Amino acid sequence: MTEIRGAAAITGAASGIGRALALELAARGCDLALADRDEAGLQAVAAEIAKTSSQNKASSQKVSVHRVDVSEPAAIADFAQAATSTHPGLNIVINNAGVALLGAFSEIDQAQMDWLMNINFWGVVHSTRAFLPHLATQPEAHIVNLSSIFGIVAPPGQTAYSAAKFAVRGFSEALRHELQMAKSPVRLSVVHPGGVLTNIVRNSRAGVGVTDNARRAESIERFDSIAKTTPKAAALRIIEGIEKNQPRILIGNDARFMDLLQRFRPETYWAVMAKRIERMSRKGK
């Protein structure tokens, strides 16, 4: 197992799953290096951790905040250097930052697809490369890469997002096998959340070819009606996966259902999924 100790670096830590992970890891005595573009959000998370530690009269965690745009390789390299200098015992890296893009393939341009890939895929790769030499010096260490259930199934309207999340899955699985063969102390888990109640859909960009303004509202309403997992529940499941060295971490009954469905009906799963999503959306109204 990977013991929750030392320190953890988390990208996308200002909100959603990243924020929940920061709070839960801090409660377990883990020091933190928190990264996000939202500096105010990071400061709020750090203040909440300090307040909770004070109320519980627990030993205060060392928390550093870093404004980082994970689409910039140089910014990630600087973050890794600062985080490991501030927290020499850092042994967990969670690549959580991500964005969403609304629109069919014909409605998004190449620049938008590059924007998403630079964050959702290349951000994971660059962060892993930047932190791995330090993690390899630790007695035990763990990398957690956030994919998605859309890294296992690929719905229409998610060409860019699914491409990135499938890529995270493939990269992570291949790297995990390399680490195992090298007998590295670094373990690696890839996470596939289903619907988690975060703001990723609300904060999504629309494709340049999307002219129907009502589609964003419809997408948010549909997501809210079927997303059942809280960020805290997702964070607890990820921490359990770290502690148990689980290579694949599925989050939510919806993710587990879609994973099984894809295995049994790899060519025709979408017809079943579409009906199920529509039914769940009607129930949520």
Side-chain angles (χ1 to χ4, degrees), residues 77-279:
D78 290 344
F79 170 50
Q81 183 176 8
T84 54
S85 296
T86 304
H87 309 279
L90 190 148
N91 71 320
I92 297 172
V93 173
I94 303 176
N95 293 311
N96 165 74
V99 293
L101 180 59
L102 172 68
F105 181 63
S106 60
E107 295 173 319
I108 62 176
D109 65 16
Q110 190 59 44
Q112 290 183 305
M113 199 159 190
D114 289 342
W115 165 77
L116 184 141
M117 292 294 291
N118 284 338
I119 296 170
N120 288 10
F121 175 60
W122 286 115
V124 171
V125 174
H126 293 313
S127 177
T128 300
R129 189 182 299 280
F131 278 101
L132 191 54
H134 171 82
L135 294 178
T137 68
Q138 301 299 303
E140 58 180 27
H142 211 111
I143 297 169
V144 179
N145 291 336
L146 270 287
S147 176
S148 167
I149 189 56
F150 292 165
I152 294 175
V153 298
Q158 297 291 337
T159 50
Y161 191 80
S162 283
K165 295 303 186 178
F166 269 79
V168 169
R169 172 188 170 191
F171 165 73
S172 299
E173 292 184 3
L175 178 58
R176 182 173 65 245
H177 298 153
E178 291 179 6
L179 294 170
Q180 290 171 345
M181 290 180 65
K183 301 189 184 305
S184 169
V186 182
R187 307 296 181 91
L188 191 150
S189 298
V190 61
V191 183
H192 298 281
V196 180
L197 291 165
T198 70
N199 288 325
I200 189 169
V201 176
R202 283 180 171 79
N203 295 335
S204 65
R205 292 187 181 182
V208 294
V210 176
T211 57
D212 182 0
N213 292 329
R215 283 173 61 186
R216 179 183 294 279
E218 291 171 1
S219 296
I220 294 171
E221 182 180 358
R222 173 167 290 191
F223 179 79
D224 287 346
S225 70
I226 64 177
K228 303 300 181 185
T229 304
T230 65
K232 179 176 181 177
L236 291 174
R237 178 68 187 90
I238 291 169
I239 291 171
E240 177 190 19
I242 294 172
E243 291 176 327
K244 294 181 178 179
N245 288 327
Q246 293 177 334
R248 173 183 283 198
I249 302 171
L250 290 165
I251 296 178
N253 290 333
D254 53 344
R256 286 185 281 273
F257 168 78
M258 285 185 269
D259 177 52
L260 287 172
L261 178 62
Q262 192 279 335
R263 294 180 192 219
F264 286 109
R265 298 185 61 169
E267 297 179 358
T268 58
Y269 63 79
W270 178 245
V272 177
M273 279 180 55
K275 292 179 181 178
R276 182 183 175 92
I277 291 171
E278 183 61 33
R279 187 166 60 250

Side-chain angles (χ1 to χ4, degrees), residues 35-57:
D36 204 292
R37 291 185 64 184
D38 179 5
E39 194 167 6
L42 289 176
Q43 296 291 350
V45 175
E48 186 172 354
I49 291 170
K51 181 179 178 180
T52 300
S53 296
S54 176
Q55 290 175 343
N56 295 339
K57 297 181 180 180

